[in-house]
Structures are given as structure tokens and as C-alpha cells.
Amino acid sequence: MTAVAYDMGARHDLLDRHGLFGLTTAMDIDDGHFPGTSPDPLAVDKAEQSAVGQFGASRGSS
């Protein structure tokens, strides 16, 4: 059996569901939740995740 090689990918914004991913506190710029990293308060304003699956043609016995 032979198939066509293909790939597929997906990307999503983790801040759309920040509570689910534990990012709510990290988004609060007023308190700055990364002490010792910078003299200025730091917060997360972007967080994305992406994945790609690549599939090749294969030949198997029947």
C-alpha cells in the first residue's frame, strides 16, 4: 500500500484559556511575578503553542 506524504500543523494562543494553563498570575503586570529577573515588573503578554505532524509514504505487505 502506498500513500501520499503530507504534513499538518496547529497553533493556538495559550492566553485564550490562561486559567487552564496556569498563566493568570503571570499575566498581571501590576505586581510583576518574576522577581530578580529585571528591575522593571515583568509579565506574560503572549504565549503560543504549535505542533507539526509529518507523515511519509510507506509500503507494507498485504
Side-chain angles (χ1 to χ4, degrees):
M1 176 181 222
T2 304
V4 176
Y6 67 97
D7 63 355
M8 59 191 318
R11 186 167 86 185
H12 66 275
D13 183 350
L14 298 174
L15 297 185
D16 284 345
R17 300 190 69 190
H18 53 85
L20 176 66
F21 297 110
L23 296 170
T24 304
T25 301
M27 293 170 56
D28 185 1
I29 191 67
D30 293 330
D31 291 331
H33 295 282
F34 300 95
T37 306
S38 170
D40 299 316
L42 296 177
V44 173
D45 66 355
K46 288 185 182 180
E48 290 185 348
Q49 183 176 32
S50 63
V52 174
Q54 297 177 324
F55 304 90
S58 65
R59 181 177 214 144
S61 59
S62 36

